Amino acid sequence: TRLETPVQSGDIVEYTIYFQSEGQEALQNVRVCDLIPDGTTFVNGSITVNRGGTGSDNGVFSSPLTPVPAEFQNICANGTPTNGAVITNLGTLPAGGQFGFVRFRVRIN
């Protein structure tokens, strides 16, 4: 029997976005934008990027209502996330079998 407890105010929730490249060609300029859900607050310093490709970064938090950089505009809530977003440039992922993740935490309001 599995006991599930609903999240409560003050709880921390961790999000993980997994990625895997497949195929015969490298994927260039791979970018990720994940919106911070309403009713939560981003936990500073909680971003982890594992196994990004050439030219990748460590991810950054874009504050609520702050326009994201131009290269993220088309993938990130029309460029101005209302509750903020984690944005990550995974760079160029090599062909066939590159995998990894982007992880961050939020606190329930």
Side-chain angles (χ1 to χ4, degrees):
T1 301
R2 183 174 161 181
L3 179 63
E4 294 186 28
T5 304
V7 294
Q8 298 177 19
S9 182
D11 286 352
I12 293 180
V13 176
E14 184 172 86
Y15 288 89
T16 303
I17 304 149
Y18 294 98
F19 62 87
Q20 179 175 354
S21 66
E22 294 182 359
Q24 303 302 315
E25 295 183 27
L27 301 173
Q28 297 182 1
N29 300 316
V30 178
R31 295 182 178 99
V32 173
C33 173
D34 199 18
L35 304 178
I36 303 302
D38 289 337
T40 68
T41 302
F42 175 74
V43 175
N44 289 327
S46 68
I47 301 172
T48 302
V49 178
N50 179 267
R51 297 189 62 136
T54 304
S56 68
D57 63 29
N58 293 321
V60 296
F61 173 64
S62 178
S63 299
L65 300 176
T66 301
V68 297
E71 63 269 22
F72 289 88
Q73 292 278 322
N74 64 340
I75 64 167
C76 204
N78 296 322
T80 309
T82 58
N83 200 36
V86 170
I87 56 176
T88 308
N89 180 356
L90 294 176
T92 299
L93 300 177
Q98 177 74 17
F99 61 91
F101 62 83
V102 177
R103 179 175 290 150
F104 64 92
R105 294 180 192 94
V106 298
R107 183 178 314 278
I108 305 298
N109 294 344

